[in-house]
Amino acid sequence: MRIGLLTEGGYPYVSGDAGLWCDRLVRGLGQHEFDVYALSRSEGQESAGQVALPPQVSRVRTAPLWTAEDDGVVHGRRARRRFTEHYGALVSALCEGAPADAGTGRCAPQADRFGNALYGLAELARDEGGLVGALRSEGAVRALERACRAPGALGAAREARVPDLLAVAAHLERALRPLSLDWYEDDGSDGLGSVDLCHAASGGTAALPGLLARHFFGVPLLVTEYGVRLRTHYLGAGGGASVAAGSEPASGAARAAAPLPEGAPAVRSLLAAFHGRLAAEVYRRAECVTPGNAHARRWQERCGADRAKLRTVHPGMDASRFSHVGDSPDAADPRTLVWVGRVEPAKDLVSLLHAFAEIRKEEPGTRLRIFGTAAGAEGEAYLGHCRMLAAQLFPDEAAGPHSVGDNPVSFEEIGGPEVPGLAEAYAAGAVVVLSSVVEGFPVGLVEAMFCGRATVSTDVGAVVEVIGGTGLVVPPRNPRALAEACVALLRDPGRRARLGAAARARALELFTVEQNVTAFHGIYLEIVSRSPVRRVVLDAAGEPRPFAVPAEAWLPGRWTGLGGRAAPRNPSGWPAGPPVRGIAAARGSAAVPGPSSPHVPTPVVATEGAR
């Protein structure tokens, strides 16, 4: 089958999020054909280039989210009236309360209005050639102001001033740029209408082209979230949304989601409402949603996802690079604790250092090795604070009056001659510690499990789901409990060995690349068999041609049609205009030739209207 892989700020770019996961998925499913539709996040990401693509990637189309040139489209009176109607309905839905009945799958009337307005804007963009200028116009700001001043609007929306309205309108223009892309042509040969399934590698903006493909062509949509994008927006709002704060997303894609900008409560409230409506619409229209863990699944249910559509698929990780460490569990130093990760306040190294002070009272010869690099300016400051605290808690110890003192806590970076890689870092100690106060999917914990190490972790995010009884779990921000658990493992080598062996067996069963690829292969087949795209070919007279699409068209590869032209795919009641050509997208688009096919060219086909 032909898969449209939708990404934002990641694959196929060298730098970005979720690129490794997408690359492993594409390479593992060589029996399918992939078209990649990528939204870039910055100019630097585009200039860094793309990764080497496997032969099953037949096409790559890119568009920048970080900039958009004016499309030069001049809308007539009818088009301006349509824009005012649909944009006004969309922003009115943002001012009217909750997006959905969370966890029930039933959408509130506001969600229906939001979806209808969104698709109305998409149809207008396709008919007129783009909406970039309209979304930046004074008319858009005035429509937003009318919605905020309307009776029944939320209190925070009514308090919006002109700077707030301008900030919200600018954010909406950026988020709605995919509406103006030229990925939704009617000819069926070079756009999303030609795929059998759209797979969005994250929620939010990345899934928006998939929503439009479903609306225009009836293409089923699969959404994968290893960290809930909406949750990141809520947390970025600083509590402006009504969803309780939990733990940090695990995946880089979710972590890098643009947080809601700081500013007036009206700005935070309106933008949180927009991302909530968009997430609810994505969950509502997707055939299947695949969270990466139960923690993300609970957030998706909280944000309106139908429980019947959710299928947990754990991230796939490469276990081979840790195999030599896992095969030699007795080689570790039995009196060394190891911490591996990115140094930032959320990892709570301060509690770990205080816990280690208690451990040293019980086991004086114990050492703590911290492997990691700081994340940004905040991480650098936090690392400096942790170094100072370690120096205060553990003065350098010397074996004698004439020897050099040594601190039992060391801060090290991976990549040197002594510790060239992650596997060597985990091999340095017998017990691996995770002290985070917020976490999503704990990748470092799974790596430690691949290495056959006993672990002590805090009960945050998906830790309990990942550990599954093969390690010790303590409450977060509790140095005494953390110290007691570490001492218990340091004093019991047999228990350490049993837990390490059980952890490795669990990780190899649940968290490998192979299980991830196998799960998605089954989901692809299930979705396409349940929701196939019904393609129709018209003859010269505009009549459907019976048997024009052969049964072989459902097999991978390019199968022939018998000529003819495409039927309109979800025609609106408005006269058709020129095809959409988003200028910014066209400038960044690129085609990657796929393997030559022994079959004759693909027919011009279309789909029936969206279901």
Side-chain angles (χ1 to χ4, degrees):
M1 70 183 71
R2 191 173 181 184
I3 311 298
L5 185 61
L6 312 175
T7 68
E8 178 193 353
Y11 191 78
Y13 295 107
V14 172
S15 62
D17 312 310
L20 187 59
W21 165 73
C22 290
D23 188 64
R24 289 170 176 168
L25 176 69
V26 171
R27 293 182 184 276
L29 293 176
Q31 66 271 46
H32 299 307
E33 182 181 359
F34 285 85
D35 293 348
V36 179
Y37 295 82
L39 301 171
S40 63
R41 191 170 289 147
S42 67
E43 184 177 9
Q45 184 177 57
E46 290 188 358
S47 60
Q50 300 179 3
V51 300
L53 299 174
Q56 53 263 40
V57 176
S58 60
R59 181 185 297 111
V60 174
R61 301 189 69 177
T62 66
L65 278 182
W66 52 274
T67 184
E69 299 177 359
D70 195 334
D71 48 25
V73 176
V74 179
H75 291 162
R77 181 183 303 174
R78 182 185 299 179
R80 290 196 301 270
R81 187 165 60 248
R82 289 176 63 190
F83 174 79
T84 301
E85 174 188 352
H86 296 311
Y87 190 82
L90 185 140
V91 294
S92 295
L94 306 184
C95 303
E96 299 177 356
D101 299 328
T104 65
R106 300 190 303 271
C107 293
Q110 298 95 325
D112 290 322
R113 288 198 294 273
F114 177 86
N116 293 335
L118 182 68
Y119 301 129
L121 289 173
E123 292 170 2
L124 176 61
R126 194 168 69 153
D127 291 344
E128 298 294 330
L131 289 180
V132 175
L135 291 170
R136 293 176 174 176
S137 67
E138 181 181 353
V141 180
R142 290 189 180 278
L144 177 60
E145 182 180 21
R146 286 194 296 270
C148 292
R149 305 290 185 261
L154 295 175
R158 289 197 300 270
E159 295 174 359
R161 299 296 180 259
V162 173
D164 304 329
L165 296 174
L166 293 175
V168 172
H171 187 94
L172 293 180
E173 184 273 325
R174 182 184 185 278
L176 295 176
R177 284 175 188 171
L179 301 183
S180 299
L181 299 179
D182 57 348
W183 294 354
Y184 320 108
E185 295 96 338
D186 274 333
D187 57 14
S189 61
D190 195 34
L192 286 170
S194 63
V195 303
D196 300 307
L197 168 69
C198 283
H199 185 177
S202 66
T205 306
L208 185 52
L211 280 180
L212 302 187
R214 185 190 184 280
H215 175 72
F216 288 128
F217 315 119
V219 176
L221 173 63
L222 167 65
V223 179
T224 295
E225 287 188 306
Y226 286 129
V228 180
R229 182 67 64 94
L230 176 60
R231 179 186 170 279
T232 306
H233 289 298
Y234 280 152
L235 295 184
S242 60
V243 178
S247 61
E248 178 181 67
S251 73
R255 188 184 303 114
L260 302 182
E262 297 182 0
V267 177
R268 298 196 301 268
S269 176
L270 288 171
L271 295 186
F274 170 77
H275 291 289
R277 298 284 188 274
L278 181 58
E281 184 66 18
V282 169
Y283 295 150
R284 179 187 183 187
R285 300 299 182 184
E287 293 293 330
C288 182
V289 180
T290 54
N293 52 74
H295 176 67
R297 182 184 183 120
R298 288 192 297 270
W299 265 95
Q300 290 168 338
E301 292 181 9
R302 169 76 173 170
C303 297
D306 184 358
R307 184 174 299 178
K309 294 183 178 181
L310 299 178
R311 295 271 297 274
T312 301
V313 179
H314 295 113
M317 300 172 58
D318 183 12
S320 60
R321 56 178 175 160
F322 304 104
S323 59
H324 65 285
V325 178
D327 292 338
S328 306
D330 298 330
D333 185 346
R335 304 184 69 80
T336 297
L337 303 176
V338 169
W339 182 94
V340 180
R342 189 180 61 257
V343 178
E344 58 184 0
K347 304 304 181 183
D348 199 15
L349 291 180
V350 171
S351 291
L352 176 59
L353 291 173
H354 284 291
F356 188 63
E358 299 295 324
I359 294 171
R360 292 277 293 180
K361 295 177 182 178
E362 301 292 332
E363 297 290 329
T366 308
R367 296 183 59 83
L368 172 62
R369 300 182 68 176
I370 297 175
F371 298 95
T373 56
E378 184 182 24
E380 292 286 353
Y382 186 71
L383 178 58
H385 173 69
C386 292
R387 290 181 185 272
M388 293 175 56
L389 180 61
Q392 295 172 0
L393 292 176
F394 312 103
D396 291 349
E397 301 174 351
H402 303 292
S403 58
V404 179
D406 183 26
N407 196 300
V409 178
S410 62
F411 293 85
E412 308 173 46
E413 292 188 7
I414 299 174
E418 185 178 355
V419 185
L422 279 172
E424 288 72 23
Y426 291 111
V431 178
V432 176
V433 185
L434 184 145
S435 55
S436 301
V437 293
V438 290
E439 193 72 50
F441 185 85
V443 174
L445 201 58
V446 176
E447 292 171 344
M449 294 167 69
F450 281 140
C451 293
R453 293 297 182 261
T455 60
V456 177
S457 312
T458 48
D459 186 5
V460 293
V463 165
V464 172
E465 178 185 1
V466 168
I467 287 295
T470 65
L472 304 187
V473 180
V474 300
R477 294 191 180 96
N478 192 331
R480 178 174 297 179
L482 190 63
E484 291 176 353
C486 291
V487 169
L489 291 182
L490 290 171
R491 290 177 173 175
D492 193 341
R495 187 183 186 189
R496 285 201 313 267
R498 291 192 299 271
L499 288 176
R504 189 185 186 206
R506 178 176 175 81
L508 291 175
E509 179 182 0
L510 298 179
F511 306 120
T512 61
V513 175
E514 292 75 17
Q515 67 82 23
N516 182 270
V517 170
T518 301
F520 277 114
H521 177 61
I523 291 173
Y524 285 175
L525 295 178
E526 178 183 341
I527 291 177
V528 171
S529 64
R530 188 175 63 232
S531 305
V533 181
R534 304 297 183 183
R535 292 186 165 89
V536 178
V537 177
L538 304 183
D539 58 20
E543 297 296 329
R545 299 192 63 178
F547 310 108
V549 180
E552 291 84 356
W554 299 109
L555 299 177
R558 303 295 184 85
W559 293 90
T560 182
L562 301 176
R565 61 186 181 87
R569 291 187 171 115
N570 196 31
S572 64
W574 301 90
V580 174
R581 287 290 182 271
I583 293 177
R587 181 167 55 86
S589 296
V592 176
S596 59
S597 172
H599 312 295
V600 292
T602 306
V604 177
V605 295
T607 60
E608 294 177 355
R611 294 175 299 280

